Amino acid sequence: MFETRNHIDGRWVEGPSTLPDINPSDTREVIGEFAQAGEDQVPEAITAARRAQSQWQWSPPETRYGALMQIGNALMERSAEFGELLSREEGKTLPEGKGEVYRAGQFFTYYAAEVLRRMGDLTDSVRPGVEVLVSREPVGVVAVITPWNFPTALPAWKLAPAIAHGNAVVWKPASLVPASAAALMQIIEDSDLPPGLVNMVLGSGRTVGEALITSPDIDAITFTGSLATGRRIAEAAAVNLTKLQMEMGSKNPLVVVDDADLDTAVSCAVNGSFFSMGQKCTASSRIVVTRGVHDEFVARMQAAMDRLVIGHALEADSQIGPVVDEHQLARNLSYIEIGRGDGAELVCGGEPLERATPGHYMAPALFVGGDNAMRLNREEVFGPLTCVLRADDYDHALALANDTEFGLTSSIITTSLSRATHFRRHSRTGCVMVNLPTSGTDYHVPFGGRKNSSFGPREQGRHAEEFYTQVKTAYVSAGQAG
Ligand code: NDP
């Protein structure tokens, strides 16, 4: 039905080994055996990218616009088909899978339009008769390294601006989601992009990933994944002084204050903490509640969680699918024990679930009575676990929210404009929400975090040009005529 190979220099190619892609909703189903690239295939991909980029950088805006529109429209048209594939291999529910593929298409059509809007700057020099032109040029060959939790949208938000700004790409998708990667690569191949402009090398981080990040022939690396991998990539990039952009872990707080509308609070907390099994970098993994509404909030959360339907990702009534694989499930369950061991009280959930098909199912978990120093509240779990922290008042809640090594998103639920404004200005995160879940971001505005959540320029929207281009300043003497 679809290719299960690497894509290098415009061709689908085998690798020295293969890896099975397993459906986490039904582990009996093997979606495909995907070729793994060898380390020696990475330089081949980089050479192909370099060759294609040397032409693409001079391509006129309409050529880029046309190819990006083709890819974006194809993704939107095929969002039902590829969304189902995504849900089968990653485990998010069907509406989430389809919505993600559609959103991936929107990244491409957005950057298609941006290509036509690009402008430079022209000014007079301080020297008479001299003009200064400031323009942006591509960085060159970009290594794109992506995680498994958004198999289509996340590569799209890196590939689309890379191509739009005249770069070529060598892309290493996460090992757990090769089918969605191959589907996106097929759509890219079917477009008018030149062969070799986007190359896809499947394979592990230890082999293919390392070959990419240590290569002196890569001009820039964009990475989304865990903090530990990010630190390793930063080390490798430092050796070659490779330009770097990274989005990493998080411990996003949802703050609920005494004047909050509790229906909004509970709906945002359930959505932000548990949808997509909490496998979002923007998930609410801490909920800070002031004492006046703490007990009622917890009771309402428990009631809402009792109604959640956890099941096979493709079943119509499933609100939450399985965890992505057995390792992530084991990690989630270990944090249930870590939380309990540290003295937090498990209000509900946290146990493995059995369903009609064998899969990695678990009940979303709610803790109370913890403090912010516990490992449960400091380390990213990346699962459907959250802890309600009791705060004395708003100032205490804000202090708890900011007391973390991370800084991606935060949210406050309040009916007070002045409190919302104060929180927006004092929350130390890259994205702040008011009366909304901590998750859920747009594609036309910047996305990124502070502290250990991010490194380098912002992604998405126009801000992406900071990473995908380099600035040139040209001085031009008009001579006698000036
Ligand atoms: P990992 O860091 O384990 O992996 C991310 C990618 O890096 C994968 O493609 C992986 O390959 C690759 N990789 C691993 N080791 C190396 C290496 N030494 N050199 C080069 N590449 C390497 O993260 P996960 O895939 O497990 O994703 C979950 C993490 O991603 C969470 O911590 C989450 O917070 C973060 N994330 C952050 C987001 C943000 O915007 N801040 C958004 C989404 C996720 P392989 O698959 O083969 O291991």
Side-chain angles (χ1 to χ4, degrees):
M1 187 184 73
F2 52 83
E3 282 287 351
T4 57
R5 295 182 286 173
N6 302 286
H7 199 276
I8 299 174
D9 203 9
R11 289 186 305 276
W12 294 99
V13 292
E14 303 289 353
S17 59
T18 63
L19 195 68
D21 183 17
I22 309 285
N23 179 349
S25 297
D26 182 348
T27 53
R28 297 167 303 185
E29 187 194 356
V30 178
I31 295 165
E33 287 281 342
F34 283 82
Q36 302 290 286
E39 288 157 64
D40 55 332
Q41 289 173 295
V42 172
E44 279 176 39
I46 296 173
T47 302
R50 179 74 60 201
R51 198 182 316 117
Q53 200 271 331
S54 66
Q55 302 295 317
W56 183 248
Q57 64 178 328
W58 306 116
S59 59
E62 264 192 1
T63 304
R64 297 186 199 182
Y65 166 86
L68 288 163
M69 284 300 282
Q70 284 174 327
I71 298 168
N73 286 332
L75 281 166
M76 290 190 267
E77 280 159 20
R78 299 179 73 173
S79 59
E81 175 194 352
F82 288 156
E84 182 183 326
L85 182 63
L86 191 162
S87 293
R88 276 171 65 210
E89 80 170 350
E90 198 266 352
K92 54 182 66 153
T93 61
L94 207 45
E96 287 174 323
K98 290 177 184 173
E100 175 174 339
V101 175
Y102 195 88
R103 171 54 61 94
Q106 290 174 312
F107 280 108
F108 282 94
T109 54
Y110 169 77
Y111 281 105
E114 279 302 289
V115 169
L116 296 174
R117 289 198 189 96
R118 290 184 60 200
M119 294 284 163
D121 294 320
L122 173 66
T123 188
D124 288 333
S125 165
V126 294
R127 286 169 279 172
V130 174
E131 286 183 326
V132 185
L133 291 88
V134 181
S135 57
R136 287 188 175 270
E137 298 185 354
V139 280
V141 175
V142 182
V144 171
I145 301 176
T146 50
W148 47 263
N149 65 328
F150 284 99
T152 312
L154 213 150
W157 85 51
K158 295 177 187 293
L159 295 174
I163 298 164
H165 289 295
N167 301 286
V169 167
V170 180
W171 170 33
K172 194 209 94 56
S175 296
L176 285 173
V177 287
S180 296
L184 174 55
M185 197 61 231
Q186 181 66 61
I187 283 179
I188 291 172
E189 186 187 46
D190 292 343
S191 77
D192 289 338
L193 283 185
L197 194 76
V198 178
N199 303 272
M200 180 184 75
V201 281
L202 301 168
S204 78
R206 271 176 292 106
T207 55
V208 167
E210 282 287 327
L212 259 182
I213 63 173
T214 54
S215 170
D217 299 322
I218 289 289
D219 298 303
I221 304 169
T222 176
F223 164 78
T224 299
S226 62
L227 178 58
T229 307
R231 287 193 200 283
R232 165 67 199 129
I233 291 177
E235 270 174 20
V239 173
N240 295 317
L241 298 180
T242 309
K243 190 173 185 182
L244 192 55
Q245 172 188 65
M246 303 197 291
E247 299 297 336
M248 298 164 288
S250 58
K251 205 69 201 168
N252 311 301
L254 175 81
V255 173
V256 180
V257 288
D258 284 359
D259 63 36
D261 176 281
L262 284 191
D263 288 339
T264 305
V266 169
S267 144
C268 289
V270 169
N271 178 311
S273 303
F274 306 130
F275 280 30
S276 300
M277 267 324 222
Q279 296 168 164
K280 289 180 184 172
C281 52
T282 51
S284 319
S285 46
R286 296 180 299 146
I287 304 180
V288 186
V289 186
T290 50
R291 62 180 167 199
V293 288
H294 177 277
D295 292 354
E296 190 182 347
F297 173 81
V298 172
R300 289 209 205 180
M301 273 297 279
Q302 193 173 354
M305 289 170 68
D306 284 347
R307 292 192 293 273
L308 287 174
V309 181
I310 295 112
H312 194 298
L314 301 187
E315 274 169 16
D317 61 345
S318 293
Q319 292 173 292
I320 296 177
V323 174
V324 71
D325 73 351
E326 68 275 20
H327 301 294
Q328 187 63 47
L329 179 60
R331 179 177 167 83
N332 297 349
L333 297 176
S334 77
Y335 272 88
I336 299 291
E337 295 315 314
I338 289 168
R340 278 180 166 148
D342 284 348
E345 180 196 339
L346 182 63
V347 175
C348 60
E351 69 277 4
L353 297 175
E354 291 207 350
R355 291 293 179 263
T357 50
H360 309 300
Y361 300 102
M362 79 171 273
L366 184 71
F367 280 95
V368 296
D371 69 53
N372 203 37
M374 290 176 173
R375 284 182 63 193
L376 177 68
N377 292 317
R378 300 214 79 81
E379 298 170 11
E380 179 172 61
V381 182
F382 221 54
L385 280 69
T386 196
C387 183
V388 178
L389 292 162
R390 186 192 292 265
D392 297 335
D393 53 23
Y394 166 71
D395 289 339
H396 185 208
L398 176 64
L400 288 171
N402 282 335
D403 179 15
T404 164
E405 68 171 308
F406 297 111
L408 185 59
T409 71
S410 60
S411 176
I412 187 166
I413 312 297
T414 179
T415 51
S416 157
L417 177 61
S418 65
R419 199 148 273 170
T421 305
H422 189 276
F423 186 79
R424 177 172 61 76
R425 296 178 66 161
H426 290 83
S427 177
R428 293 203 290 272
T429 54
C431 306
V432 186
M433 320 290 179
V434 175
N435 293 321
L436 291 166
T438 53
S439 56
T441 57
D442 291 356
Y443 54 88
H444 64 306
V445 291
F447 174 73
R450 297 182 184 180
K451 299 192 266 182
N452 285 344
S453 287
S454 296
F455 184 87
R458 284 283 183 264
E459 298 200 86
Q460 303 184 21
R462 287 192 175 172
H463 286 67
E465 73 177 9
E466 286 303 322
F467 177 71
Y468 292 101
T469 66
Q470 49 194 335
V471 170
K472 179 177 275 179
T473 310
Y475 294 85
V476 181
S477 169
Q480 295 299 322

